Amino acid sequence: MKSLWNDAEASQYSGDLGERVYTSQLLGRDHTLVLHGGGNTSVKVRSRGVTGEEEDILYVKGSGWDLETIREEGFAPVRLPHLVKLAKLESLSDPQMMNELSTQVTRAGAPAPSVETILHAILPYKYVDHTHADAVLAVTNTANGQSHVREIFGDDVVVIPYIMPGFDLAGLCAARFAADARPGTVGMVLMNHGVFSFGATARESYERMIALVTRAERFLERRGAPRAVSGEPGRVTAAPRELAALRREISAAAGVPLVMRTQASAKFIDFARRADAAALSQQGPATPDHVIRTKRVPMIGRDVAVYAQAYRDYFARNAAAAKQPKTMLDPAPRMVLDPELGLCTLGRTARDARIVADLYSHTIDVILASTALGGYKALPEKDIFDVEYWDLEQAKLRRAGKPPVFTGEVALVTGAASGIGRACCDAFLKRGAAVVGLDIDAGVVNAFGGRADFLGLHCDVTSRDAVNVALHAGVGAFGGLDMLVLNAGVFPGGCRVESLADEEWQRVTRVNVDANLALMRECHPLLELAPNGGRVVVIGSKNVPAPGPGAAAYSASKAALTQLARVAALEWGAAGIRVNVVHPNAVFDTGLWTRDVLASRAAHYGLSVEAYKTNNVLKTEVRSADVAELTAEMCGPLFAKTTGAQVPIDGGNDRVI
Ligand SMILES: [Zn+2]
């Protein structure tokens, strides 16, 4: 493992806390050290408050912050002397501990201090770094973990047997540290949990972490442990319907729709195909805090009912022994290991599903590395249960509130790179959906930056092959399809009927009608499997109820599309799929309407641009975002009992009314 310390970079950070930020980010950059909110760091500083008194403050990572991206405000300043007093108490319940921590924070609006705050406080060093390094876990999660740790580190570290994070862990560390620390002690290894390093400067503590983990890595190498390989990305070859059926069944067990990400890379397929895949994977996570996202074990194969029953049994067994009554979480798996599919991971959002995949990819690395030391050995299920059903986690769930309306659902939008299509993507993302955006403009790929819940695909919707490839990719990324927005279309220039060429008529029909028929046909098997029922919204046009001269091909094609949608509403209603149409008019904030075009059309009617834009009954401008909001709402509960409807969004048109 290489130190990422860089003098030029480091010089951009100043002060004790600034340096703390820098080396925390360095730890976060190496995903074999910490992942997604894992690990924590701290620094002890003496500072002067507004009344002029000096205080010792522990700045410790706040919950909800990731080391990789942490900034100064991500650290909670906590009064250090009080923490030291707390550490001396005989016992302290978790809610009491969290109360003490939050009431000793000296900055309003600071994040909640890490649950490992007291542990940071009792270590007598200015800087303290804590990671869940893969290499250390691979060593500790074995039958002879303690003796391996001794062999690697000698007396340079204090070794702490596994105990749940929180007050008791801090107490145990305080006692062990007092008894076992030597002048040369540079760290602390927590069995089945992770590693601490410390130092007088940010750099010293960081470099010690790198050195400690490197020693574990070298040891594994000497024992012939395999090198970790990347799990990304692997082409998903499974039929979209097969994946959507699996997602539907798992979502039903969860009681809410879940996004499902499939990674068919060799890493996961090879692991799933090992003869000992069940024995290895059913032991439990590499470090207990993964359980909150991953559940204790993956499902092997696809029998959701058997997995859910095993989960209920696990809950019943362990809840009976727990001190407080527990509320069972849903029994659905968050990971599926399948010899054909590879690894499928699930979460309420695309980001959650991706995090689960990252965690399990590293877990596989740990499992395979431990096999070189005689075999992977996870903690007993009781310890995992204690973290999964920790009061603090359960309280967090109770506080979480209602997620956005389309959380866990997947929308596909055509013509997504600009105008109404792009606005639709925005509206669905805002409502919590994962969105697949298709467009013939390659700009769609990066239309929403690198966010996990948007997949932009360069796709000509008139090509059956391209649509097929896009559906494979979309379902591979998010697991299925719940909502379909048919927006892509062409709007040809004015042309009277007597001059309308066959080729032009056919070109318009091919995009506006044929492509949408094909999309509806191909998406129907997926919409049928939507956990909450499929929904389709067709972007029609005012030209359907009120056609315009010179727009024969456009008006006729949108009318045909509308009729197609109405028949689909009739045919698909029994399967719970709703199909509705919106008819926008005069939406000018799209790529089509440049400033010049707008000015010339307005002049053509003898109107100012402003008057032209608001030339409707309500004298209001209709924007892409207005159409998108209506479109999204038509997929939501407000329109749950509406299908086959056509809703104008045109500011009121006297020919339509
Ligand atoms: Zn930890």
Side-chain angles (χ1 to χ4, degrees):
M1 168 163 296
K2 272 207 194 82
S3 163
L4 302 176
W5 179 275
N6 174 307
D7 284 331
E9 250 180 23
S11 69
Q12 291 162 30
Y13 297 83
S14 61
D16 293 342
L17 185 55
E19 285 171 25
R20 176 67 288 173
V21 168
Y22 177 56
T23 55
S24 300
Q25 290 178 356
L26 292 184
L27 293 176
R29 273 187 221 167
D30 192 326
H31 292 178
T32 68
L33 287 176
V34 292
L35 271 174
H36 302 297
N40 40 59
T41 57
S42 67
V43 59
K44 300 176 182 77
V45 297
R46 173 150 271 244
S47 71
R48 196 181 292 277
V50 285
T51 55
E53 284 150 75
E54 288 206 325
E55 282 193 296
D56 287 318
I57 301 290
L58 175 80
Y59 280 87
V60 64
K61 194 195 93 160
S63 77
W65 284 81
D66 231 82
L67 288 181
E68 191 172 3
T69 51
I70 200 161
R71 297 190 304 271
E72 291 198 1
E73 61 267 36
F75 286 88
V78 198
R79 292 192 179 93
L80 183 58
H82 189 75
L83 294 172
V84 174
K85 270 192 234 162
L86 289 177
K88 293 190 177 119
L89 293 176
E90 269 300 302
S91 72
L92 192 64
S93 73
D94 292 326
Q96 280 175 325
M97 178 180 79
M98 292 319 283
N99 180 63
E100 291 302 309
L101 295 187
S102 59
T103 53
Q104 292 297 322
V105 168
T106 63
R107 190 181 76 237
S114 156
V115 294
E116 279 157 354
T117 296
I118 298 178
L119 173 44
H120 281 261
I122 54 113
L123 291 170
Y125 299 89
K126 188 171 177 72
Y127 286 89
V128 175
D129 294 32
H130 169 48
T131 71
H132 301 159
D134 289 353
V136 174
L137 291 171
V139 171
T140 64
N141 295 14
T142 54
N144 298 318
Q146 294 240 16
S147 68
H148 295 316
V149 170
R150 277 286 159 240
E151 189 180 338
I152 298 167
F153 301 111
D155 276 346
D156 297 349
V157 298
V158 172
V159 182
I160 310 291
Y162 178 78
I163 178 172
M164 194 165 138
F167 183 75
D168 293 344
L169 172 61
L172 179 65
C173 289
R176 283 289 178 118
F177 196 82
D180 298 352
R182 306 273 176 275
T185 299
V186 291
M188 203 161 65
V189 170
L190 279 58
M191 300 301 292
N192 297 76
H193 176 163
V195 53
F196 277 77
S197 65
F198 22 72
T201 66
R203 182 169 189 178
E204 182 177 53
S205 185
Y206 169 73
E207 299 283 7
R208 282 177 174 173
M209 174 64 72
I210 301 302
L212 288 171
V213 177
T214 303
R215 284 160 80 175
E217 285 178 344
R218 297 248 168 87
F219 178 80
L220 287 165
E221 263 168 42
R222 286 199 300 276
R223 297 299 183 96
R227 279 188 176 282
V229 292
S230 159
E232 301 234 20
R235 216 173 109 71
V236 177
T237 51
R241 201 181 146 81
E242 211 179 317
L243 293 176
L246 180 60
R247 168 186 175 246
R248 180 189 169 96
E249 215 187 322
I250 296 175
S251 296
V256 286
L258 297 174
V259 171
M260 183 174 93
R261 172 185 172 91
T262 301
Q263 282 178 228
S265 49
K267 176 175 187 172
F268 301 122
I269 291 190
D270 291 351
F271 187 72
R273 288 183 182 175
R274 286 175 67 113
D276 57 358
L280 294 178
S281 70
Q282 298 304 294
Q283 283 203 39
T287 176
D289 69 326
H290 290 185
V291 73
I292 308 299
R293 294 181 178 279
T294 64
K295 288 242 154 96
R296 195 177 72 86
V297 292
M299 174 167 84
I300 301 271
R302 306 186 203 176
D303 198 331
V304 180
V306 165
Y307 183 95
Q309 190 51 50
Y311 186 85
R312 287 189 200 96
D313 295 345
Y314 152 81
F315 176 80
R317 258 194 319 273
N318 291 285
K323 285 189 214 100
Q324 270 109 18
K326 303 289 180 192
T327 308
M328 196 184 88
L329 303 167
D330 76 71
R334 294 298 186 274
M335 308 185 284
V336 182
L337 264 180
D338 182 279
E340 267 78 51
L341 302 178
L343 178 69
C344 306
T345 54
L346 297 105
R348 282 290 269 154
T349 65
R351 188 174 166 270
D352 291 344
R354 189 180 279 191
I355 290 174
V356 174
D358 285 348
L359 293 177
Y360 205 64
S361 181
H362 284 268
T363 302
I364 290 177
D365 297 339
V366 170
I367 290 175
L368 296 180
S370 331
T371 52
L373 304 184
Y376 178 70
K377 190 162 180 291
L379 288 168
E381 70 170 29
K382 183 201 160 296
D383 290 313
I384 306 302
F385 180 88
D386 285 347
V387 173
E388 186 175 5
Y389 284 90
W390 197 358
D391 289 346
L392 300 179
E393 292 298 337
Q394 295 240 312
K396 234 189 257 173
L397 292 175
R398 282 193 294 273
R399 278 197 308 269
K402 224 176 158 200
V405 61
F406 296 147
T407 300
E409 297 202 288
V410 185
L412 187 147
V413 179
T414 66
S418 60
I420 292 172
R422 193 192 159 105
C424 283
C425 294
D426 221 15
F428 282 94
L429 288 169
K430 232 169 49 191
R431 288 167 171 79
V435 177
V436 181
L438 310 187
D439 207 296
I440 197 160
D441 173 357
V444 74
V445 173
N446 295 312
F448 289 88
R451 49 190 294 176
D453 51 3
F454 180 79
L455 177 68
L457 298 169
H458 183 203
C459 173
D460 175 358
V461 291
T462 64
S463 155
R464 303 287 183 275
D465 286 348
V467 166
N468 210 282
V469 168
L471 288 180
H472 267 83
V475 175
F478 302 136
L481 180 60
D482 305 277
M483 299 169 283
L484 173 64
V485 178
L486 296 173
N487 163 67
V490 287
F491 183 74
C495 178
R496 291 171 59 87
V497 172
E498 63 270 29
S499 319
L500 184 56
D502 290 347
E503 293 73 27
E504 179 65 351
W505 172 267
Q506 283 155 6
R507 181 182 77 87
V508 174
T509 308
R510 207 162 42 241
V511 182
N512 291 1
V513 188
D514 301 1
N516 285 323
L517 167 63
L519 274 159
M520 288 170 80
R521 193 177 55 219
E522 298 303 314
C523 291
H524 175 256
L526 300 173
L527 293 167
E528 249 185 347
L529 291 168
N532 285 350
R535 283 137 284 166
V536 180
V537 177
V538 168
I539 308 297
S541 165
K542 178 272 306 181
N543 281 38
V544 175
Y554 182 74
S555 303
S557 69
K558 287 289 189 179
L561 174 59
T562 301
Q563 207 68 343
L564 181 63
R566 296 175 70 198
V567 175
L570 288 170
E571 293 181 354
W572 297 355
I577 303 172
R578 302 191 284 109
V579 186
N580 291 295
V581 183
V582 297
H583 289 317
N585 188 34
V587 179
F588 296 121
D589 62 340
T590 67
L592 243 51
W593 293 88
T594 61
R595 194 184 290 245
D596 291 348
V597 173
L598 200 53
S600 93
R601 295 310 299 164
H604 178 81
Y605 290 99
L607 295 169
S608 70
V609 168
E610 201 41 45
Y612 180 64
K613 283 209 269 190
T614 58
N615 190 18
N616 53 47
V617 172
L618 295 171
K619 299 290 174 223
T620 184
E621 187 184 342
V622 181
R623 296 186 172 89
S624 296
D626 302 321
V627 180
E629 289 295 305
L630 175 62
T631 301
E633 285 303 311
M634 292 193 89
C635 295
L638 197 61
F639 285 85
K641 297 182 180 178
T642 301
T643 192
Q646 299 174 55
V647 181
I649 172 150
D650 54 9
N653 183 296
D654 49 14
R655 289 177 56 212
V656 175
I657 294 171

